[in-house]
Amino acid sequence: MSVCRPFFTGHIDHEALFPFPSMSPEEAETFGILRDSLARFGQERVDSRRIDAEARLPREVLDGLAELSVFGIIVPAEYDGAGASMTFYAKAFETLATIDGAIVVTVGAHESIGLKGILQFGTDEQKRRFLPALARGEQLAAFALTEPTSGSDAASIRTRATWSEEKGAWILDGTKIWITNGGIAEVFTVFAQTAVERAGENVDRVTAFIVPRSLAGVSSGPEEHKLGIRGSSTTEVHFEGVEVAPDLVLGELGGGFKVAMEVLNSGRLGLAAGCVGGMKHLLAEATSYALERRQFGRPIAEFELIQEKLAGMALEIYGTESIVYLTTGLVDSGAADYSLESAICKVKASEAVWRVVNEALQIAGGMGYMQE
């Protein structure tokens, strides 16, 4: 059951709220091993300054993440993944966020949304065909929904797939924008308008497709010049007369909107967990600096104004972390509906991390504005 939906009728389901969910002891132990491995990996093999300066993730970093099985955490073992819970994945995502922003965004675009449609709606054959290579990190995935004229209004997309009897395939034409992993992904989950029959009439409905980059007519544009997370690939992706076989339709014909919404429910949780990890890292850095920086003969951490900032950051983290892992617990318990919870997590987490970033910048003072 949804925890938040009953709020609108003035009801709180205490059984859904308590006890607060947690990983099993076995999974917690496994996560501890992964967390320590990721921490060593970040210290020894990730140069965030280089990543930001060159605006790309080095191949050796992606290969190292693949060695740690990061790209297949939620993929079942039968498809070469770890088959871990959503809580485990969120914890891992939180850890990645303390290493590098471009890394966590790349992994999230791949696993939270890029391959999630195949995992949730794919046929057995589609899963066998695509998931193993994606789980091993041999290929990366991307989620291609946004267009120049449609963002949040997913149903208004103009990319179109037209059935060709002559070719026995769907002919896909259109452009997607701001696609994370757009320049490096080998597998795209693409959403396009298709003509379907409803109540005896032909109407347009969104359909989801699995589109390998190897198909003729698939191309990506130049990398976008972003203000941050510069190391993650963000490009336009173009589809020009791409022949997509009928066995690459993902889910039901005309059922793409449902696929998109279900996938994004999961993606919002990954994003929120990443925000938690980033905030924890910022609080640690800000606290360390406040203890070292001295003014008027004492550390600035002894001034009430600085203490208030640090306490406020901790408060944001505690509240955000609580709702994120309550929601991952709902997912792991088999809740059929967690759409409101995941949306709340994304809004709360993204706004909280912005406030925490700002407070950390204020504590750092002028040093916070210097690139070095």
Side-chain angles (χ1 to χ4, degrees):
M1 294 291 292
S2 169
V3 168
C4 294
R5 200 169 296 278
F7 289 176
F8 295 93
T9 60
H11 174 67
I12 297 177
D13 185 353
H14 291 274
E15 290 186 3
L17 285 169
F18 304 105
F20 193 86
S22 62
M23 288 188 287
S24 68
E26 295 78 13
E27 195 171 48
E29 181 179 0
T30 302
F31 170 71
I33 296 171
L34 175 62
R35 180 191 56 216
D36 294 343
S37 298
L38 287 173
R40 286 194 299 273
F41 174 79
Q43 292 170 359
E44 298 171 1
R45 300 175 63 178
V46 177
D47 184 346
S48 285
R49 292 180 186 230
R50 175 189 169 193
I51 290 171
D52 190 64
E54 297 180 357
R56 69 178 184 88
L57 284 176
R59 184 70 249 178
E60 59 266 25
V61 170
L62 294 173
D63 290 343
L65 293 169
E67 291 170 9
L68 293 171
S69 303
V70 166
F71 293 112
I73 292 173
I74 59 173
V75 177
E78 62 185 299
Y79 305 114
D80 293 350
S85 68
M86 188 64 193
T87 299
F88 186 106
Y89 173 68
K91 286 285 186 184
F93 205 76
E94 178 185 326
T95 304
L96 286 170
T98 69
I99 298 172
D100 185 85
I103 288 177
V104 75
V105 168
T106 299
V107 173
H110 166 80
E111 199 162 0
S112 291
I113 55 178
L115 63 77
K116 198 63 182 287
I118 302 173
L119 192 59
Q120 289 183 302
F121 295 93
T123 63
D124 290 341
E125 192 280 329
Q126 288 171 339
K127 292 177 181 179
R128 286 193 299 271
R129 177 176 173 183
F130 292 105
L131 287 180
L134 293 172
R136 294 191 297 265
E138 295 168 2
Q139 296 183 338
L140 293 182
F143 186 81
L145 176 64
T146 305
E147 298 184 4
T149 59
S150 62
S152 299
D153 184 10
S156 69
I157 61 174
R158 296 183 180 179
T159 295
R160 187 161 198 88
T162 305
W163 176 253
S164 169
E165 288 289 350
E166 178 185 355
K167 297 183 180 296
W170 292 93
I171 309 303
L172 180 66
D173 291 281
T175 293
K176 302 293 185 177
I177 65 170
W178 301 328
I179 305 306
T180 305
N181 294 351
I184 57 178
E186 294 294 333
V187 179
F188 297 91
T189 300
V190 182
F191 298 86
Q193 297 285 1
T194 55
V196 298
E197 186 177 327
R198 294 288 188 271
E201 296 183 7
N202 280 335
V203 296
D204 281 350
R205 292 290 185 270
V206 176
T207 296
F209 296 89
I210 304 170
V211 182
R213 182 185 288 274
S214 59
L215 295 181
V218 179
S219 63
S220 51
E223 293 290 341
E224 301 285 358
H225 298 291
K226 304 188 295 295
L227 295 177
I229 51 173
R230 288 164 39 80
S232 68
S233 172
T234 306
T235 71
E236 293 186 353
V237 181
H238 307 287
F239 305 97
E240 300 178 17
V242 181
E243 297 181 17
V244 184
D247 62 357
L248 292 179
V249 171
L250 184 58
E252 296 181 0
L253 189 65
F257 187 79
K258 177 183 177 182
V259 173
M261 295 303 102
E262 290 288 332
V263 169
L264 290 173
N265 282 340
S266 169
R268 293 179 182 119
L269 283 177
L271 183 149
C275 290
V276 171
M279 287 190 290
K280 287 181 177 180
H281 187 65
L282 284 166
L283 177 58
E285 292 289 326
T287 302
S288 176
Y289 182 79
L291 290 168
E292 294 173 1
R293 172 71 166 164
R294 299 180 67 86
Q295 291 289 282
F296 304 101
R298 53 180 172 152
I300 64 172
E302 294 183 9
F303 291 96
E304 187 175 359
L305 177 63
I306 300 299
Q307 293 172 354
E308 183 180 17
K309 290 181 180 298
L310 294 172
M313 294 165 75
L315 181 64
E316 293 282 9
I317 295 167
Y318 181 82
T320 307
E321 182 179 42
S322 296
I323 63 173
V324 168
Y325 290 106
L326 174 66
T327 307
T328 62
L330 288 175
V331 177
D332 293 334
S333 69
D337 179 15
Y338 55 93
S339 55
L340 281 179
E341 288 79 4
S342 64
I344 289 169
C345 286
K346 179 180 179 181
V347 172
K348 169 62 180 174
S350 57
E351 292 183 350
V353 76
W354 184 254
R355 289 190 287 268
V356 169
V357 165
N358 182 55
E359 292 290 43
L361 183 66
Q362 304 310 317
I363 292 170
M367 289 292 291
Y369 198 63
M370 298 302 118
Q371 190 176 69
E372 182 183 354

